[in-house]
Amino acid sequence: MHQFPPSADLQFLVGETFGQIALDPWSIQFRFAAGGQITVEERIEHVDEGGSTHPHNCEDRTCDAVYLHQLLQLPITAVDAEPLCLSLTFASGAILRIFTELSRFECGP
C-alpha cells in the first residue's frame, strides 16, 4: 500500500457524488455516479451529520452496523489528504475517512 497523493491532486473529487456503495465480505466499493470508484479493503470512519462516528474495518466481520447510505447522492464539498488518511466532506457535513497502511501491497488512488 502507498500514501495518498497530496490534497491538491485530488480536488477533482469535489462536486462528485456516490451513486452506489457496495459491500462484500472483504471490501467496500464507493462508486461515483459519473464513473470510477474507490475500493477500500482496510478501515474507514463515517462521521455522520450529527457528529457520531461509525468505524468499519473490512477485515473484521463482527463490527457494528454501517450507515453509509447517508452519503449517497450528496456532493463532495472538500477533500483533504494526509499520507495515511483521505477525508471526504459532503454537503450534509458528513465526513468519510479512508485509511491506508504502508506495505508492499497496492493502495490509495
Side-chain angles (χ1 to χ4, degrees):
M1 295 183 204
H2 302 283
Q3 296 181 358
F4 288 105
S7 296
D9 293 348
L10 298 172
Q11 293 308 301
F12 68 92
L13 295 172
V14 172
E16 295 290 332
T17 61
F18 293 144
Q20 187 178 48
I21 300 170
L23 301 172
D24 67 38
W26 308 111
S27 72
I28 300 174
Q29 301 92 47
F30 297 94
R31 298 177 181 156
F32 292 101
Q37 74 178 32
I38 297 174
T39 299
V40 178
E41 295 178 340
E42 292 290 331
R43 65 186 184 95
I44 62 166
E45 277 183 356
H46 166 215
V47 181
D48 66 27
E49 58 190 68
S52 296
T53 300
H54 309 281
H56 181 77
N57 185 334
C58 295
E59 296 178 343
D60 180 6
R61 297 174 71 176
T62 63
C63 55
D64 294 334
V66 293
Y67 299 90
L68 298 172
H69 66 282
Q70 297 173 357
L71 303 177
L72 289 169
Q73 298 182 322
L74 289 175
I76 296 170
T77 58
V79 176
D80 181 49
E82 299 174 15
L84 301 179
C85 178
L86 173 64
S87 297
L88 305 175
T89 303
F90 294 82
S92 66
I95 301 169
L96 176 64
R97 293 187 185 108
I98 301 170
F99 298 94
T100 188
E101 297 177 356
L102 297 178
S103 76
R104 61 186 179 96
F105 299 105
E106 198 64 35
C107 187

